[in-house]
Amino acid sequence: MPSPSSSKDRLASITAHISALGPTPMASSFNAVPLAPTDPLFGLMAAYKADTFDKKVDLGVGAYRDDNAKPWVLPVVKKVTSVQTISGTGAVHLGALFLAKFFSRPQDQKVYLSDPTWVNHTQIFSNVGLTSTTYPYYHPPTKGLDFDGFYGTLESAPEGSIILLHACAHNPTGVDPTREQWMKLAEIIRAKKHFPFFDCAYQGFASGDLDNDAWAIHYFVQEGFELCIAQSFAKNLGLYGERAGCFHFVSPPSSNAKEITKRIASQLAILQRSEISNPPAYGARIAGLVLNDKKLFAEWCENLREMSGRIKAMRTALHAKLVELETPGDWSHILKQIGMFS
């Protein structure tokens, strides 16, 4: 089992500014994003924080303060390139909204979704004015991945297309690419200058290992890709009703990456302000406590192994019963697929 600190360092690497990764410096597709003007209320808050007067009192926002009149900063909120969202759904929506507004593309260019995909993906992108199309994914004859169709569509897609990728435990098929296939997909995405958008709804919940389930994301980041990630803590922390999630934007390794990241963060803040102002705190605090406490983090990792292990056991039991009943057909795909879907 990886140590909490090493796992958190890897998770943090997704959200942190990438300054020296990848064999060749890459230009950002978002160089033209302007710095957003400061929201009046948030500007007042910034001025308050910058004031060194020791008897100042913050009366600007109706938010909780401790006995020392200090705000309780949400532990899960990261620097600059990450924004807390209303679970994974809100993260996908925020990413779609940002791309619709700032990603330079031809008027008729589409977002590529897997066939099939989570039913909400299509309407989220449609609601922000982005038309979607599909790339082949599920292969009915083998009940596995149609890798050739997947790769071929990415190869023929217009250069610079947005490609929505499921990080692990694909919804609704339960079929994931192998690591070797992910590496080949990364090659064609780089060659065609596509923009990868990862939806990470089941990290750790799928295989029982946080790092294994996030392998594809780690690989793309290490390869120097500019990308974004919609991350949910709803399933893997049992916080479905609390809607805990995060949107991450990772800039490519370039000389002006820090400035680009600053401008992107400013626009994300404006988009969030216009829609939800501030995200709910309770679920994020729980997530923050678990992620930052050594004992709780270790217990969470054990919980993830227990949940994913039960799902695997249920798959094995179902397969055995189908074989016992001599049910027509080959049901081995139940054992090969991962997560809750089949």
Side-chain angles (χ1 to χ4, degrees), residues 76 83-95 118 120 124 197-202 229-248 272 276 279-281 283-284 287:
V76 77
V83 179
Q84 187 191 337
T85 59
I86 308 296
S87 199
T89 303
V92 174
H93 168 71
L94 180 62
W118 179 45
N120 215 11
I124 288 174
F197 188 153
F198 280 96
D199 188 355
C200 186
Y202 300 97
I229 306 138
Q231 184 173 22
S232 171
F233 290 103
K235 286 94 172 177
N236 58 14
L237 272 172
L239 293 172
Y240 200 82
E242 300 302 332
R243 314 308 291 150
C246 204
F247 174 77
H248 314 281
Q272 281 285 65
I276 63 172

Side-chain angles (χ1 to χ4, degrees), residues 51-74:
D51 189 350
T52 59
F53 184 60
D54 61 357
K55 294 181 175 59
K56 63 183 179 180
V57 178
D58 182 4
L59 303 178
V61 179
Y64 178 84
R65 295 293 186 265
D66 61 19
D67 290 338
N68 296 312
K70 300 296 182 182
W72 191 351
V73 180
L74 303 182

Side-chain angles (χ1 to χ4, degrees), residues 100 103-111 129-132 158:
F103 188 58
S104 178
R105 66 195 189 286
Q107 188 68 27
D108 59 347
Q109 193 161 324
K110 298 177 175 64
V111 178
L130 291 176
T131 305
S132 62

Side-chain angles (χ1 to χ4, degrees), residues 207-241:
S207 69
D209 183 273
L210 290 165
D211 293 326
N212 182 69
D213 288 350
W215 187 88
I217 297 175
H218 294 322
Y219 180 76
F220 273 67
V221 171
Q222 290 164 5
E223 288 296 299
F225 278 90
E226 180 170 52
L227 54 85
C228 61
I229 306 138
Q231 184 173 22
S232 171
F233 290 103
K235 286 94 172 177
N236 58 14
L237 272 172
L239 293 172
Y240 200 82

Side-chain angles (χ1 to χ4, degrees), residues 30-327:
F30 299 88
N31 279 316
V33 175
L35 184 66
T38 304
D39 178 274
L41 178 56
F42 286 5
L44 181 61
M45 292 168 58
Y48 168 83
K49 292 177 181 177
D51 189 350
T52 59
F53 184 60
D54 61 357
K55 294 181 175 59
K56 63 183 179 180
V57 178
D58 182 4
L59 303 178
V61 179
Y64 178 84
R65 295 293 186 265
D66 61 19
D67 290 338
N68 296 312
K70 300 296 182 182
W72 191 351
V73 180
L74 303 182
V76 77
V77 178
K78 308 296 183 183
K79 295 179 180 179
V80 184
T81 51
S82 295
V83 179
Q84 187 191 337
T85 59
I86 308 296
S87 199
T89 303
V92 174
H93 168 71
L94 180 62
L97 188 60
F98 176 80
L99 293 174
K101 190 168 184 179
F102 294 109
F103 188 58
S104 178
R105 66 195 189 286
Q107 188 68 27
D108 59 347
Q109 193 161 324
K110 298 177 175 64
V111 178
Y112 282 76
L113 309 174
S114 65
D115 181 20
T117 192
W118 179 45
V119 65
N120 215 11
H121 279 148
T122 302
Q123 60 191 19
I124 288 174
F125 284 98
S126 174
N127 285 347
V128 299
L130 291 176
T131 305
S132 62
T133 187
T134 61
Y135 54 81
Y137 193 85
Y138 186 68
H139 188 238
T142 62
K143 298 181 176 63
L145 179 66
D146 182 0
F147 181 77
D148 290 340
F150 188 176
Y151 186 95
T153 299
L154 297 188
E155 190 173 35
S156 62
E159 188 173 282
S161 295
I162 300 168
I163 313 296
L164 194 286
L165 303 164
H166 296 234
C168 66
H170 184 273
N171 180 358
T173 70
V175 175
D176 288 349
T178 64
R179 292 189 177 185
E180 291 73 21
Q181 288 171 333
W182 274 121
M183 293 169 74
K184 291 179 180 178
L185 291 171
E187 288 178 3
I188 192 61
I189 289 173
R190 183 189 296 280
K192 293 299 301 262
K193 298 182 174 64
H194 296 325
F195 184 82
F197 188 153
F198 280 96
D199 188 355
C200 186
Y202 300 97
Q203 185 184 0
F205 188 81
S207 69
D209 183 273
L210 290 165
D211 293 326
N212 182 69
D213 288 350
W215 187 88
I217 297 175
H218 294 322
Y219 180 76
F220 273 67
V221 171
Q222 290 164 5
E223 288 296 299
F225 278 90
E226 180 170 52
L227 54 85
C228 61
I229 306 138
Q231 184 173 22
S232 171
F233 290 103
K235 286 94 172 177
N236 58 14
L237 272 172
L239 293 172
Y240 200 82
E242 300 302 332
R243 314 308 291 150
C246 204
F247 174 77
H248 314 281
F249 190 99
V250 181
S251 297
S254 61
S255 59
N256 63 339
K258 185 175 181 179
E259 177 59 28
I260 293 171
T261 299
K262 179 181 177 181
R263 284 185 263 140
I264 289 171
S266 73
Q267 295 292 349
L268 289 172
I270 290 294
L271 293 176
Q272 281 285 65
R273 173 66 166 155
S274 67
E275 296 207 332
I276 63 172
S277 188
N278 289 290
Y282 184 68
R285 286 175 183 160
I286 294 174
L289 287 171
V290 172
L291 291 170
N292 289 287
D293 183 279
K294 185 176 180 179
K295 290 183 179 179
L296 290 177
F297 187 89
E299 185 175 350
W300 179 44
C301 289
E302 184 58 39
N303 294 157
L304 291 171
R305 285 191 290 272
E306 182 178 345
M307 289 191 292
S308 62
R310 180 173 177 271
I311 293 174
K312 293 173 186 175
M314 291 172 69
R315 283 184 176 275
T316 300
L318 174 59
H319 177 263
K321 194 64 176 179
L322 290 168
V323 172
E324 178 188 328
L325 295 174
E326 299 182 349
T327 309

